[in-house]
């Protein structure tokens, strides 16, 4: 199943990025550059959702519209998508 959540990327002075997901409480990532930050954000999102869905067996949180995500100066919001296999042996 594919999940699409908005993430906020903040570029730091050294060129690295901090990432957080407004809809996924406590889900954060860091990257040395934008490409690395995106990869780390995907992994953080996947892990957060797997724990939420597979271990806690709870419905994933509501997804905010990208246009509704608040960003501060120096931040950008973009959708980060991940694919999670919900059942063993099930291919989408």
């Amino acid at each position: 199943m594919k999940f699409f959540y908005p993430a906020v990327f903040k570029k730091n002075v050294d060129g690295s990025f901090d990432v957080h997901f407004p809809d996924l409480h406590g889900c954060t990532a860091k990257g040395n550059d934008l490409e690395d930050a995106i990869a780390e954000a995907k992994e953080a999102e996947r892990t957060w959702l797997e724990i939420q869905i597979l271990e806690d067996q709870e419905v994933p949180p509501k997804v905010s519209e990208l246009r509704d995500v608040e960003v501060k100066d120096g931040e950008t919001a973009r959708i980060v998508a991940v694919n999670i296999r919900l059942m063993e042996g099930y291919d989408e």
Side-chain angles (χ1 to χ4, degrees):
M1 178 173 233
K2 281 208 179 243
F3 294 90
F4 303 86
Y5 279 92
V8 177
F9 290 77
K10 179 183 178 191
K11 187 172 185 177
N12 298 311
V13 177
D14 65 357
S16 67
F17 284 82
D18 293 327
V19 186
H20 74 274
F21 290 83
D23 297 328
L24 308 178
H25 180 71
C27 185
T28 62
K30 292 179 179 265
N32 294 327
D33 54 30
L34 183 57
E35 184 178 333
D36 188 38
I38 293 169
E40 293 296 325
K42 285 183 178 189
E43 186 60 32
E45 179 184 12
R46 179 180 294 107
T47 300
W48 195 99
L49 288 167
E50 284 176 346
I51 291 169
Q52 185 76 12
I53 296 166
L54 301 176
E55 292 183 13
D56 295 341
Q57 297 184 5
E58 293 184 23
V59 176
K62 182 178 177 241
V63 178
S64 295
E65 293 289 330
L66 188 59
R67 68 178 176 266
D68 295 333
V69 174
E70 291 184 37
V71 293
K72 300 174 185 169
D73 287 342
E75 295 180 338
T76 57
R78 64 186 298 166
I79 297 296
V80 176
V82 294
N83 193 27
I84 297 176
R85 187 176 297 171
L86 297 177
M87 295 186 301
E88 192 65 35
Y90 176 77
D91 290 322
E92 298 182 59

